[in-house]
Amino acid sequence: MRKRGLLIAVLVVLIAALAFLLYMYVGLIRRPQIVTGPGGVRMRHLFSIYGYGKDPSQLLSKPYDVATDKKGNIYISDTGNSRVLVFDDSGDFLFKFGTKGKKRGQFETPLGIAVGADGRIYVADRILNKVLIFNSKGKFIKEFKVMMPLVLAVANSKVYIATYGPIIIYDLEGNELAKWGRRGQKKGEFDFPGGIAVDKKGSVYLSDTNNLRLQALDKNGEVLWVLGSPAKDIMAKERRFGLPAGVALDEDRRIYLVDAFHFSLRILNRHGKEISELGGEPGQEEGQFYQAAGIAYLGKGTIAVADQFNNRVQVLEVTIPNK
């Protein structure tokens, strides 16, 4: 009996030790860490969206872009599934829309997504060469032709569309107003941009992806500044960016840039001066990225990032010290 009692006591100790180790793993190792970058800037993972259920058909597949509205709802271009998913600001599923096909109102490859002040949703389909407009509930309204649209922004009652080369500006109904630049490597030329953001003054901040640079343009399309430059090799060590992708702006016109090949988030002021870089190691843990693409600023220091090759959207809080 004494031996049996001793054996039970040992088993209890072992179980307790195992439980403690499991707690340490889940609570400390797996728990999202606060990432600190230069200048004391911090990034904290809040939650991730992997889909709206556990069935494979309900999960995200290569989400390319993300947008938000006045309520802070999160709109995701679920590119691999040819649809759009919508969640509230807590990550709870609201609704989805879109079907795969070539008919009016259907998607083939939805990439860029943006939401206007009136709640209308704009989605760029690169393969079908069109931009589709839906109402705030996801009901199809109309579409208009655009040659290879990639990403877009809705601001100042205009739709700014970055294509394979030129930037084309439309009114909210899809009537062309202006066209800036062309495909190329000179200043004011572009090569398959991966992100576009517009401030209230009409200045445009463009992630000129294949040219490995960030360009800022005024409301007339004139170049304000350029950061980075094309390289002979996309993997060249001297390049300023790994691969610039999604772009977003906060209330202070700070620029949030996704750097896909640096697996990081880079923050700059509106003049192109870098404030900080967060991340840098590819991974699947919460707070890490694997060739992320689009980004949206949700307000109050919160961003959503389309973590493309991790098949999720991460919502993160970024804290920038006052100086």
Side-chain angles (χ1 to χ4, degrees):
M1 289 293 291
R2 189 176 178 184
K3 287 183 178 179
R4 186 179 176 185
L6 185 61
L7 183 61
I8 291 171
V10 170
L11 281 171
V12 168
V13 171
L14 286 173
I15 290 169
L18 232 109
F20 177 75
L21 288 172
L22 183 62
Y23 166 79
M24 291 292 289
Y25 176 76
V26 174
L28 298 178
I29 297 175
R30 298 289 294 181
R31 186 173 61 192
Q33 300 295 312
I34 294 175
V35 178
T36 303
V41 177
R42 298 190 306 165
M43 180 175 70
R44 182 169 68 95
H45 176 268
L46 299 178
F47 61 87
S48 290
I49 298 171
Y50 288 86
Y52 59 96
K54 295 182 179 179
D55 188 88
S57 66
Q58 298 172 322
L59 299 175
L60 292 171
S61 176
K62 301 297 185 292
Y64 187 82
D65 202 8
V66 61
T68 190
D69 60 17
K70 290 180 178 179
K71 295 180 180 179
N73 293 325
I74 301 165
Y75 299 73
I76 303 169
S77 59
D78 188 12
T79 306
N81 289 315
S82 300
R83 65 188 178 189
V84 171
L85 302 183
V86 186
F87 299 80
D88 68 14
D89 58 359
S90 297
D92 294 323
F93 178 65
L94 296 177
F95 63 94
K96 62 185 175 72
F97 63 91
T99 57
K100 186 178 178 63
K102 297 181 180 180
K103 297 179 181 178
R104 283 176 55 81
Q106 291 186 310
F107 301 128
E108 186 70 30
T109 310
L111 293 181
I113 186 168
V115 182
D118 59 358
R120 295 208 294 181
I121 307 156
Y122 296 76
V123 184
D125 193 308
R126 180 178 66 85
I127 296 296
L128 297 181
N129 297 306
K130 65 182 182 181
V131 170
L132 302 89
I133 307 175
F134 300 84
N135 70 13
S136 60
K137 302 298 182 182
K139 182 179 179 181
F140 175 67
I141 298 174
K142 65 187 298 186
E143 60 186 43
F144 57 97
K145 288 292 182 181
V146 182
M147 180 59 71
M148 209 177 293
L150 302 175
V151 288
L152 66 166
V154 181
N156 311 314
S157 298
K158 297 175 183 177
V159 184
Y160 298 76
I161 302 175
T163 71
Y164 67 100
I167 309 303
I168 310 176
I169 298 100
Y170 295 83
D171 66 19
L172 298 178
E173 300 302 322
N175 300 302
E176 186 176 325
L177 301 175
K179 183 182 290 187
W180 300 343
R182 60 181 181 180
R183 189 178 183 190
Q185 294 186 334
K186 296 179 181 178
K187 290 183 179 180
E189 296 180 341
F190 321 103
D191 191 2
F192 280 82
I196 186 170
V198 184
D199 65 23
K200 292 181 180 179
K201 294 185 177 182
S203 296
V204 176
Y205 303 86
L206 188 83
S207 180
D208 189 7
T209 302
N210 282 4
N211 281 326
L212 303 173
R213 64 189 179 189
L214 184 67
Q215 295 200 59
L217 314 170
D218 69 15
K219 62 181 181 180
N220 298 312
E222 298 297 323
V223 176
L224 294 172
W225 51 261
V226 177
L227 185 64
S229 61
K232 293 179 181 179
D233 186 334
I234 200 168
M235 300 305 292
K237 291 182 179 180
E238 70 273 11
R239 67 193 190 280
R240 183 68 172 76
F241 299 106
L243 190 72
V247 179
L249 300 171
D250 69 10
E251 303 93 342
D252 297 314
R253 294 165 67 193
R254 286 182 293 234
I255 303 163
Y256 294 75
L257 172 68
V258 174
D259 194 325
F261 281 5
H262 275 188
F263 310 99
S264 66
L265 173 70
R266 306 178 80 150
I267 304 171
L268 309 94
N269 68 18
R270 65 179 182 270
H271 304 297
K273 181 181 179 180
E274 190 150 4
I275 297 170
S276 190
E277 182 174 11
L278 301 159
E281 292 294 330
Q284 298 177 338
E285 299 294 333
E286 308 291 15
Q288 293 182 316
F289 307 116
Y290 188 48
Q291 292 189 29
I295 184 173
Y297 182 75
L298 307 180
K300 297 180 180 180
T302 305
I303 59 170
V305 177
D307 192 6
Q308 190 178 16
F309 283 86
N310 278 326
N311 295 310
R312 65 187 177 189
V313 166
Q314 294 195 64
V315 177
L316 307 135
E317 180 186 66
V318 177
T319 304
I320 303 173
N322 293 322
K323 293 190 175 182

